[in-house]
Amino acid sequence: MSSEGRLEIPTPDGESQSNRKKTFVTFYFEGEAVSGALGEPVAMSLWAAGHRTLGWNEETGRPRSLFCGIGHCFECRMEIDGKRDQRSCLYPVREGLDVRRQSKPGALAIVDGMTRL
Amino acid sequence: MRTEALIIGAGPAGLSAAIELGQRGIETLVVDEYPVPGGRLLGQMYQSQSGWWIGRRVAEDLLERLGRFPNVHLMLETSVSGLAHAGGGWTATFSQRAGTVDAQAVLIATGATEVPIPLPNWTLPGVMTVGAAQTMANVHGVRPGERGIIIGFGALAFAVADELTRAGVDLAGIVLPPLQGPSQWLGTVQDQWRRLRDVVHLGPRWARAATPLVASDFWLERVMAGAPQKGIPALGTVLRPNVAAIAMAGEEAVSGVWLQRVDRRGTLVGEPWHEAVDFACLSGGLRPVPDLAAATGAAMKSSRSGLHDVPIFGPVGETTAPGIFAAGNVLGIEGAPVAMAQGQLASIGVLRHLSGNPTEWAAEQAAFSRALEVARERAPLVFDRAWSQIHEEIRQAWTNRPKEG
Ligand SMILES: Cc1cc2nc3c(=O)[nH]c(=O)nc-3n(C[C@H](O)[C@H](O)[C@H](O)COP(=O)(O)OP(=O)(O)OC[C@H]3O[C@@H](n4cnc5c(N)ncnc54)[C@H](O)[C@@H]3O)c2cc1C
Ligand code: FES
């Protein structure tokens, strides 16, 4: 799966532009092992592995994913190593990270003092 | 933590400023929230008159030069969330880390952000900005999807179409954004078509397709409105200048896009149809990120749409807030070589602020100003023609600003 989701960055003038050698490590997405390049943002590894839903909108329950890819929109917020609301498009992959989606619909959530299903 | 100069943003503007300050012995801290330094340089790759511009290599070169100065420190994965005036200098606070940094001078080089295009179902996974697809493919070598579509005409849309198709990603073409409804700033259909003029000179692949078509409004309108529905081959894909995206489709992720023909006036005509895509790139344009500058109390020039809000700035990047400087796309949307010259100029502002001598480094200032002019003349991509006018107004506003007593 992970190689299908990867590209060779094109080499317009013959020289490789992705000359940095990548080291792949394993981290956990909802408890499932995922391979990612060390230091690349978590959202990138997840996307390459075919995981597109990174969480759910707190209000609507609709799936959310990466939108801007550079830390501006906060659509990619995830729980990483127990810390909520981490922007997964910025957060670099390290061996063994525990990455989880937030606000799963149906999970009991307290919003503005009201309990909702 | 304390430093003489704090630079927020390790893009071309911030890194160029840091090199100048490093050379002149200033204790400098550069912070960036991204795990890799280089800012938007990292994804840039296009042909210009002087050959290929490969931003990652430019970034590597800047970092290598920066590495020679032990007085310059780079702190990544660090977002600056606030700047407060304190004891003659400024205190920066961070969002993910504890602690603060006190600096005598601060350079804001936080760059630009993309303007979203809110069309129905645009929050579905797989709908992203065109810059996000650029970051995926060019920076991280991640395939955005099997077949995508680019929505919105503009320099960045065209550049990214070229980059994606070179990387072997299949595109259903570049179509117009919805031109009716809330996205007023996208302009008229003619405004969208005219954006082709900003890029046609870019090398053979671009020019072949478009040069003769875009020179006059008369021909532009006829050729664009009369284009075949399947589009005009360009950039490894097709330009579809009389087709607009009106909604995204999908349940858990995007599975298609609803398209409809537009006529010469931009009115939707005929029946909409569905095309299957598994990703879509919105290209609504770029705007500076003015938040940090505004938070310092620096005088801002605001715009009706909010898309052209920038601090009023002087010749060496000084703002009206003492000790706060700005450089790069935070001052207006231009290419990286312009940002680099602006960073160098702002280093002069920082040096003068630190020494209290407002006339030193005059020869360097003159050289950097010339470099800025040259970078503007040679700019391969023009993002938004409004900026030259806005910068002229800012020059006047700076000259006429109320001076402190
Ligand atoms: C998505 C996108 C794609 C672009 N693509 C192209 C292109 O293909 N070709 C082209 O010529 N120009 C492109 N541009 C224009 C680009 O802005 C300029 O070319 C140039 O990179 C601007 O340099 P800069 O140093 O001002 O800002 P940037 O290069 O944007 O660098 C700003 C840096 O500041 C960091 N930052 C921002 N806010 C904070 C904060 N609060 N705390 C810490 N760090 C922060 C960011 O992580 C980033 O690294 C693009 C711009 C965007 C937004
Ligand atoms: S995708 Fe926009 S902040 Fe992460």
Side-chain angles (χ1 to χ4, degrees), chain B residues 9-249:
Chain B
L15 293 176
S16 301
I19 290 170
E20 300 304 324
L21 295 175
Q23 251 169 29
R24 295 180 177 90
I26 304 300
E27 202 56 41
T28 304
L29 175 67
V30 186
V31 297
D32 198 296
E33 61 186 2
Y34 209 65
V36 192
R40 306 289 74 79
L41 272 177
L42 296 171
Q44 296 178 12
M45 188 178 64
Y46 50 77
Q47 238 165 359
S48 67
Q49 278 108 326
S50 48
W52 278 94
W53 172 265
I54 298 178
R56 183 193 289 276
R57 286 197 204 135
V58 178
E60 280 165 3
D61 177 58
L62 291 172
L63 287 162
E64 193 193 305
R65 286 161 63 198
L66 200 58
R68 295 182 207 147
F69 307 115
N71 50 317
V72 179
H73 308 274
L74 183 59
M75 193 157 87
L76 298 169
E77 297 171 43
T78 305
S79 301
V80 174
S81 53
L83 283 171
H85 204 44
W90 294 86
T91 299
T93 45
F94 305 120
S95 61
Q96 308 98 320
R97 297 182 188 254
T100 56
V101 168
D102 294 326
Q104 291 169 48
V106 177
L107 174 60
I108 301 176
T110 48
T113 190
E114 290 184 271
V115 183
I117 303 174
L119 72 177
N121 286 327
W122 68 299
T123 59
L124 282 169
V127 182
M128 64 185 86
T129 67
V130 74
Q134 182 184 50
T135 299
M136 271 191 193
N138 291 1
V139 183
H140 301 292
V142 169
R143 179 180 284 282
E146 291 307 317
R147 181 173 169 81
I149 190 161
I150 296 185
I151 300 170
F153 279 30
L156 189 56
F158 302 140
V160 173
D162 191 45
E163 293 161 5
L164 289 175
T165 55
R166 280 173 194 279
V169 177
D170 187 25
L171 292 178
I174 308 173
V175 300
L176 297 172
L179 293 168
Q180 285 148 350
S183 314
Q184 300 280 324
W185 72 89
L186 295 168
T188 63
V189 69
Q190 283 82 9
D191 293 331
Q192 288 277 318
W193 292 338
R194 285 189 197 110
R195 304 249 166 87
L196 286 166
R197 286 187 192 146
D198 301 336
V199 297
V200 278
H201 54 286
L202 279 185
R205 237 157 70 104
W206 304 67
R208 249 202 326 266
T211 309
L213 312 180
V214 302
S216 77
D217 272 358
F218 180 86
W219 283 113
L220 186 65
E221 194 170 303
R222 268 151 195 79
V223 172
M224 295 293 129
Q229 190 163 307
K230 65 179 182 356
I232 304 165
L235 310 166
T237 175
V238 283
L239 280 180
R240 301 170 79 180
N242 49 17
V243 173
I246 55 164
M248 306 311 306

Side-chain angles (χ1 to χ4, degrees), chain B residues 111-113 286-290 307-310 329-333 387:
Chain B
T113 190
L286 297 169
R287 67 174 178 85
V289 184
L307 302 179
H308 297 103
D309 290 8
V310 282
N329 269 209
V330 77
L331 298 178
I333 308 305
W387 285 108

Side-chain angles (χ1 to χ4, degrees), chain A residues 4-20 22 39-41 44-45 47-48 52-54 56 62-72 75 86-87 89-92 94, chain B residues 33-35 40 45 52 54 56-57 60 77 79 95-96 112-113 116 122-129 131-132 135-145 163 166-167 169 250-252 278-279 282:
Chain A
E4 280 170 36
R6 302 264 169 192
L7 294 167
E8 222 7 82
I9 298 170
T11 57
D13 58 358
E15 273 179 70
S16 174
Q17 91 121 1
S18 62
N19 46 13
R20 289 179 316 159
K22 288 183 174 157
E40 80 181 355
M44 294 294 156
S45 316
W47 197 274
R52 289 189 164 201
T53 297
L54 303 181
W56 292 272
R62 301 287 296 145
R64 286 194 290 103
S65 190
L66 168 158
F67 182 70
C68 73
I70 52 169
H72 292 158
E75 282 298 301
Q86 302 299 306
R87 286 170 286 175
C89 72
L90 301 180
Y91 204 107
R94 298 187 186 101
Chain B
E33 61 186 2
Y34 209 65
R40 306 289 74 79
M45 188 178 64
W52 278 94
I54 298 178
R56 183 193 289 276
R57 286 197 204 135
E60 280 165 3
E77 297 171 43
S79 301
S95 61
Q96 308 98 320
T113 190
W122 68 299
T123 59
L124 282 169
V127 182
M128 64 185 86
T129 67
T135 299
M136 271 191 193
N138 291 1
V139 183
H140 301 292
V142 169
R143 179 180 284 282
E163 293 161 5
R166 280 173 194 279
V169 177
E251 284 300 319
E252 291 303 302
D278 68 348
F279 75 102
L282 306 180

Side-chain angles (χ1 to χ4, degrees), chain A:
Chain A
M1 187 82 198
S2 92
S3 65
E4 280 170 36
R6 302 264 169 192
L7 294 167
E8 222 7 82
I9 298 170
T11 57
D13 58 358
E15 273 179 70
S16 174
Q17 91 121 1
S18 62
N19 46 13
R20 289 179 316 159
K21 189 121 178 61
K22 288 183 174 157
T23 310
F24 283 85
V25 298
T26 299
F27 66 97
Y28 298 91
F29 169 65
E30 303 280 358
E32 179 193 325
V34 175
S35 151
L38 185 65
E40 80 181 355
V42 162
M44 294 294 156
S45 316
L46 290 176
W47 197 274
H51 299 295
R52 289 189 164 201
T53 297
L54 303 181
W56 292 272
N57 183 287
E58 291 82 348
E59 305 266 305
T60 62
R62 301 287 296 145
R64 286 194 290 103
S65 190
L66 168 158
F67 182 70
C68 73
I70 52 169
H72 292 158
C73 72
F74 289 72
E75 282 298 301
C76 62
R77 295 187 312 277
M78 300 189 83
E79 185 180 310
I80 303 182
D81 278 353
K83 291 172 289 183
R84 282 181 67 84
D85 291 333
Q86 302 299 306
R87 286 170 286 175
S88 62
C89 72
L90 301 180
Y91 204 107
V93 164
R94 298 187 186 101
E95 177 80 41
L97 280 184
D98 177 24
V99 178
R100 294 183 184 272
R101 301 193 275 209
Q102 297 182 179
S103 313
K104 191 172 176 59
L108 201 64
I110 312 283
V111 180
D112 294 333
M114 285 192 2
T115 305
R116 301 209 296 204
L117 283 177

